[in-house]
Amino acid sequence: MPSLGADMDEGTVIEWLVKPGDTVHKGDPVAVVDTDKAAIEVETFAGGTIDQILVPVGERVQVGTPLATINGTGPTPQPAPAPQRPATPAPVPARPAQGLPSEIQGGPPEFPVGNPPAQRAAPPATVTSVDRLKASPYARKLAHSLDVDLTAVPATGQRGMVTAEDVRRFAANPPRPSTQPSTKEPTTTPAPRHVVQQGSPRAAIARLMTRSTQEIPHYYLSTTVDLGTAIAWLSRTNRELPVAERLVPAALLLKATALAAQRHPELNGYWTEDAFRPADQVHLGVAISLRGGGLVAPALHDVASLPVHDVMARLRDLVERARAGRLRRAEMTEATITITNLGDQGVESVHGIIYPPQVALVGAGRIVERPWAVDGLLGVRPCLTLTLAADHRATDGFTGGRFLATVDRLLQTPEEL
Amino acid sequence: MTLTLQDARELVGNTLLRIVPDADLDALPDDAPFRDELELDSLDFLSFVELLSTGSGRRIDEDDYPRLRTMSDCIGFLST
């Protein structure tokens, strides 16, 4: 069970994407894990043949617990370890069957997970709440695309949860009424509305944000950016584009933020073990609100090097997968700086809380028309309040101020983004 | 291509449900701005426009967006 975020102590396998005998290659997704916040695809760190599934669907295990064994070159147990540098071969625990979590280290720095008892997760009792969603997010999406009525699908997952496999099986072989003897009674009551992963995602966010405010001395900066040029450029550009390729202001904002982070590397990286470790690339975490509650901030990788049209496409893909519960491990663990955009919710500014172990969080509010002086003349321009919350251990306000000024300047020449 | 009122309503409703699968459209008044009601962000709205454009075979420009605020707006836009 890999650690899929600084706040994760345990996880539940909600779907296996492989079975014993399957051949896998390093990097293949092998399982879907529910982290309390989202369902994440977990990939294997070793290639070979799946030997044994050690953790069945529905079982909640500690981070570090081996999930499956893989026969590769020799019998290499596959521990799906906590974020491991891709170049490093997976470490080989002596006995995969031992349930003890191994020490988590290496890879993108993580906050130590689950050591101080005071910060441990609430007991699993909360998780067995009867109000839980009765289908995984992916199962829901799949059901929709296959036009399957979820309430009619016999559930085999934990606590009566409908898994994606259930949906597939059902779609492939829809049972006539009363010819489904063995599985559970299809429930006739519709899945509860508005009850999405109640309790636990909130608890996960609570843990992480509490840790952040307790440990990180934040400082906050704010500036107002004239987006007149950028919006006009977007409008011209979009006129030439089919809807599917049109850009939204957020795409420009993401690109400008990533470029600025690249130019101010003191804000891009991790604070671990009393020192700042800059990251090589800018993996921009994007805060995404999930329908029905909850928040994830998965990373768009290496945004600074992407053309703005690619940033847009990747952003759409990321948001869609986040809401469908199909994020990948690397996306959940590798953000080096995060941006939150609450503009669509109507507020003008947001002063965020940093995702540890990152050291900066950029906040964007709603784009509003404001009186604005340009060259001594007053006009009405679309304006954006841009904020920075940064870790004072890693940087001073001077650095943060230059960073925001860089974002502003970059947004004045959108055609160069 | 112009849709009938009924087809337009159905297309808009189905499109919204693609984006917000558990939206309660019966509780959404025709004159309610659904971007607020259903909490659509700019990406959701873009998907909405994309699906609406595909479903109706009609080009929708950014300048048309203000005419797509409510169910009534959309039906009017698609059926004229």
Side-chain angles (χ1 to χ4, degrees):
Chain A
M1 177 63 64
S3 172
L4 301 167
D7 54 335
M8 176 174 165
D9 298 334
E10 296 179 325
T12 307
V13 175
I14 56 175
E15 188 183 348
W16 277 104
L17 305 173
V18 294
K19 56 185 185 312
D22 285 358
T23 303
V24 292
H25 300 100
K26 189 177 135 187
D28 287 351
V30 291
V32 182
V33 166
D34 184 358
T35 69
D36 290 354
K37 286 174 83 174
I40 314 291
E41 279 185 6
V42 171
E43 67 266 41
T44 170
F45 290 86
T49 308
I50 301 287
D51 178 36
Q52 219 185 333
I53 303 285
L54 300 172
V55 176
V57 165
E59 191 166 313
R60 188 176 175 91
V61 295
Q62 294 261 347
V63 164
T65 309
L67 296 179
T69 51
I70 291 180
N71 287 328
T73 45
T76 309
Q78 194 265 345
Q84 197 71 35
R85 223 170 262 107
T88 320
V92 182
R95 282 273 171 268
Q98 281 177 350
L100 290 174
S102 50
E103 192 71 23
I104 302 147
Q105 51 199 354
E110 289 280 329
F111 258 37
V113 172
N115 289 335
Q119 293 182 355
R120 292 306 295 261
T126 54
V127 186
T128 53
S129 143
V130 283
D131 283 331
R132 259 190 76 100
L133 187 70
K134 290 286 196 286
S136 72
Y138 183 56
R140 282 178 174 270
K141 188 181 162 67
L142 199 63
H144 185 262
S145 62
L146 296 174
D147 205 19
V148 164
D149 178 9
L150 261 186
T151 58
V153 178
T156 63
Q158 70 177 135
R159 300 184 297 272
M161 187 158 94
V162 178
T163 67
E165 195 49 44
D166 294 338
V167 175
R168 274 197 210 100
R169 199 181 308 125
F170 187 84
N173 188 14
R176 275 181 292 275
S178 82
T179 57
Q180 190 74 351
S182 63
T183 39
K184 283 183 193 171
E185 286 259 279
T187 166
T188 46
T189 46
R193 282 176 186 219
H194 310 304
V195 187
V196 180
Q197 302 184 348
Q198 201 182 51
S200 48
R202 202 64 251 160
I205 295 169
R207 278 201 304 282
L208 188 63
M209 293 296 110
T210 302
R211 190 183 302 175
S212 176
T213 41
Q214 283 172 349
E215 295 180 7
I216 301 178
H218 287 64
Y219 69 85
Y220 300 96
L221 303 172
S222 167
T223 191
T224 304
V225 179
D226 171 10
L227 284 185
T229 313
I231 298 291
W233 180 83
L234 274 180
S235 180
R236 279 198 309 278
T237 306
N238 283 341
R239 215 167 287 155
E240 312 296 321
L241 292 173
V243 189
E245 291 168 33
R246 279 179 204 164
L247 303 170
V248 296
L252 292 181
L253 195 57
L254 261 57
K255 182 70 193 285
T257 301
L259 284 174
Q262 195 177 43
R263 289 176 199 181
H264 302 279
E266 312 93 306
L267 291 162
N268 184 58
Y270 305 109
W271 182 270
T272 46
E273 292 158 19
D274 291 329
F276 174 66
R277 292 155 218 279
D280 294 338
Q281 292 175 317
V282 180
H283 303 315
L284 188 56
V286 183
I288 299 170
S289 63
L290 303 176
R291 296 193 195 294
L295 177 71
V296 287
L300 280 179
H301 286 84
D302 199 13
V303 175
S305 73
L306 294 174
V308 74
H309 291 273
D310 291 356
V311 174
M312 180 69 201
R314 301 252 310 262
L315 175 65
R316 288 189 75 180
D317 171 61
L318 188 74
V319 171
E320 192 175 307
R321 282 189 295 108
R323 291 187 174 149
R326 271 313 223 201
L327 292 170
R328 299 175 188 131
R329 183 202 56 83
E331 291 166 341
M332 289 306 285
T333 53
E334 291 176 359
T336 56
I337 180 172
T338 293
I339 183 164
T340 179
N341 181 356
L342 285 183
D344 287 314
Q345 266 64 49
V347 294
E348 283 183 35
S349 67
V350 46
H351 299 272
I353 295 178
I354 299 166
Y355 278 79
Q358 296 164 38
V359 298
L361 183 131
V362 179
R366 182 162 57 108
I367 299 170
V368 287
E369 296 210 319
R370 286 279 177 269
W372 190 258
V374 183
D375 297 333
L377 287 176
L378 197 59
V380 174
R381 311 279 280 188
C383 293
L384 173 75
T385 301
L386 199 63
T387 64
L388 176 74
D391 186 336
H392 218 324
R393 296 171 302 183
T395 59
D396 301 322
F398 182 71
T399 306
R402 286 193 312 156
F403 168 83
L404 284 183
T406 303
V407 179
D408 185 347
R409 202 176 57 248
L410 289 165
L411 285 169
Q412 301 313 315
T413 52
E415 67 281 0
E416 289 171 20
L417 285 174
Chain B
M1 193 171 79
T2 308
L3 301 181
T4 66
L5 292 179
Q6 190 51 41
D7 287 350
R9 176 180 294 277
E10 212 161 281
L11 175 62
V12 176
N14 287 339
T15 304
L16 287 173
L17 284 176
R18 287 274 295 276
I19 295 162
V20 190
D22 54 0
D24 185 2
L25 294 185
D26 295 337
L28 182 76
D30 273 5
D31 58 353
F34 49 71
R35 269 189 83 158
D36 296 336
E37 296 286 331
L38 302 179
E39 296 175 351
L40 302 187
D41 60 27
S42 55
L43 296 177
D44 294 327
F45 189 71
L46 192 64
S47 300
F48 173 75
V49 172
E50 186 182 351
L51 292 167
L52 209 59
S53 177
T54 314
S56 65
R58 182 173 175 146
R59 183 185 165 84
I60 303 176
D61 285 313
E62 277 197 327
D63 295 342
D64 297 322
Y65 291 0
R67 298 171 62 195
L68 302 173
R69 287 177 56 252
T70 67
M71 178 63 94
S72 309
D73 283 352
C74 293
I75 293 172
F77 177 81
L78 294 169
S79 60
T80 50

